[in-house]
Amino acid sequence: MQTTSELISDHKWEITATIIIGAFIIFIISFVVGIQDILDVLSKSNPLIILIALILEIVIIGAWTVRWSLILKVIDKSPGFNKLFVMMFSSLFGNNLTPGAAGGEPMRAYLLSKFEGISFDLAFVSASADRVFEFFPFVLVSGFAIYMISTWNIGFWSGLFISFLIIITMSFFGLLIYVGVKREIAERIILSIARSLFPFFIKLTKKELTFAQVTDQIIYYVERFSTGFATVLQDHKMFTLGLAISFAMWGTDMLRMYLCFVAVGSFPPIIPMIIIYTIGILITILPTIPGALGLREATMVGLFLVVGVPADIVIAASLIDRIVSYLMPTIVGAFTTAYYGRLLKNSDSSSS
């Protein structure tokens, strides 16, 4: 199986190009809105509130680490908070550099197997089970978002597109839950979908890949996710505690985003902000540009205008949020990933 490091290394130019495209989209949006207006807003931002938002992001990562540790204790063993906390930053580095945030779980599994003696399969099960907890807050808010958007004064096609996007994502989450409950049937459904999309994917990417290889990968991931899902449901105490941590993380995430607006002197309506930011998260997990750079900003500007928040304020708050929740973990994660790479290199040198 290709690790996240290998994936990033093999596709470094594609990843670099998509990040540049995302940055360019943000620049175009900023240019249309007014770069000087955005800079004026940012120049008046409150550094203390930005610091608090940064601390909240670290709290979120810490809570995420605690949740992962709980799962590991049920599945095998937990190496402890400090080690997992460092690994979590490497996981975020993988997530933030791969479209759809798909690189974090393999990265975590790889590091656990290499440095803590936990088998890759069990490590990947723990990471998959950890992701299960994220479904519940998102699905709950997404369902409410569809209703709220229908009451807003936005264009019919815009509302239809956003609702369609949410429904598709909720359907995807529903399929994942179905994988956990009915693995064999879900596996056949996913393979059927993959078989129909495979010819188009090959033409698009021009990769030398057989459908048998794709099948092996799908079966592997489905089995590990199904095992992780079953593990989460079987331990009721861990499930309840993990769910409580998930909702607390979600609430803290919303508070952090709200503080990014407060930092630039804006106090957006809370309920619409929660809905719009949830849609922004949805855009982020789609397999497009890493971190959905530019796409999330464009969506948020359009929706916040409907509830009366000026575009320059939205872009300024979003840029602060990007620094706090995307740039900071990515930079720290780059250092932790380099640290683990050096440890592996020294280990290989000493063994030879």
Side-chain angles (χ1 to χ4, degrees):
M1 173 176 292
Q2 190 180 39
T3 66
T4 303
S5 297
E6 291 169 344
L7 176 66
I8 293 173
S9 178
D10 292 345
H11 299 276
K12 55 181 177 292
W13 296 117
E14 294 95 326
I15 291 172
T16 302
T18 53
I19 290 176
I20 291 173
I21 291 171
F24 182 70
I25 293 173
I26 293 177
F27 172 78
I28 293 297
I29 296 170
S30 301
F31 182 79
V32 172
V33 171
I35 293 177
Q36 189 57 51
D37 292 338
I38 296 170
L39 292 176
D40 288 342
V41 172
L42 287 172
S43 67
K44 300 172 185 176
S45 59
N46 189 321
L48 178 59
I49 296 179
I50 295 175
L51 177 61
I52 295 172
L54 182 63
I55 292 171
L56 288 180
E57 177 63 21
I58 296 172
V59 169
I60 291 170
I61 297 171
W64 196 347
T65 304
V66 170
R67 189 179 68 190
W68 184 26
S69 179
L70 289 173
I71 296 169
L72 281 169
K73 287 177 182 178
V74 172
I75 293 176
D76 189 283
K77 62 181 179 180
S78 173
F81 177 86
N82 291 340
K83 291 181 178 179
L84 293 180
F85 187 65
V86 176
M87 289 181 185
M88 187 62 74
F89 277 99
S90 291
S91 174
L92 290 170
F93 174 72
N95 275 342
N96 291 344
L97 290 186
T98 53
E105 282 61 56
M107 175 71 86
R108 281 195 269 172
Y110 178 77
L111 293 176
L112 278 176
S113 65
K114 285 293 184 181
F115 295 100
E116 299 303 328
I118 299 175
S119 72
F120 185 89
D121 283 359
L122 284 179
F124 195 82
V125 165
S126 74
S128 299
D130 182 48
R131 280 296 189 181
V132 170
F133 284 111
E134 297 182 9
F135 298 165
F136 299 99
F138 185 82
V139 170
L140 180 66
V141 178
S142 295
F144 183 60
I146 295 176
Y147 166 75
M148 287 296 298
I149 289 171
S150 67
T151 66
W152 293 355
N153 185 27
I154 62 176
F156 171 78
W157 292 110
S158 298
L160 184 64
F161 173 73
I162 293 170
S163 298
F164 176 75
L165 199 62
I166 295 173
I167 291 171
I168 289 295
T169 307
M170 291 177 69
S171 300
F172 173 71
F173 285 161
L175 178 60
L176 289 180
I177 293 172
Y178 191 68
V179 167
V181 178
K182 299 285 186 179
R183 181 179 65 81
E184 294 81 5
I185 298 175
E187 194 174 273
R188 288 199 295 270
I189 294 173
I190 295 172
L191 285 173
S192 177
I193 296 172
R195 187 176 291 106
S196 62
L197 295 177
F198 183 71
F200 173 76
F201 176 79
I202 290 297
K203 289 180 181 178
L204 187 66
T205 61
K206 298 180 180 179
K207 289 184 176 181
E208 294 183 2
L209 188 68
T210 65
F211 188 70
Q213 293 173 303
V214 174
T215 299
D216 290 340
Q217 290 289 304
I218 289 174
I219 292 173
Y220 180 88
Y221 282 108
V222 167
E223 288 181 350
R224 298 308 174 276
F225 181 83
S226 178
T227 303
F229 188 88
T231 301
V232 166
L233 294 182
Q234 285 172 1
D235 192 303
H236 300 298
K237 182 178 179 181
M238 186 268 287
F239 176 76
T240 303
L241 188 54
L243 199 59
I245 292 173
S246 299
F247 276 98
M249 288 171 61
W250 176 81
T252 307
D253 198 24
M254 295 299 128
L255 176 59
R256 190 206 67 234
M257 185 67 222
Y258 187 79
L259 286 179
C260 290
F261 278 96
V262 174
V264 295
S266 177
F267 300 86
I270 294 178
I271 298 299
M273 191 219 74
I274 291 174
I275 299 301
I276 294 169
Y277 187 59
T278 300
I279 295 171
I281 296 173
L282 163 63
I283 299 293
T284 303
I285 63 177
L286 292 176
T288 52
I289 295 172
L293 290 171
L295 304 180
R296 193 193 77 166
E297 282 70 20
T299 303
M300 290 178 65
V301 165
L303 292 177
F304 270 113
L305 283 174
V306 176
V307 296
V309 182
D312 55 346
I313 294 290
V314 177
I315 292 295
S318 183
L319 288 175
I320 292 172
D321 178 64
R322 285 292 193 182
I323 292 171
V324 169
S325 66
Y326 184 84
L327 192 60
M328 182 277 291
T330 303
I331 291 174
V332 175
F335 281 106
T336 59
T337 303
Y339 163 74
Y340 284 121
R342 189 165 59 252
L343 288 181
L344 284 173
K345 185 177 180 180
N346 292 339
S347 176
D348 292 340
S349 300
S350 60
S351 61
S352 59

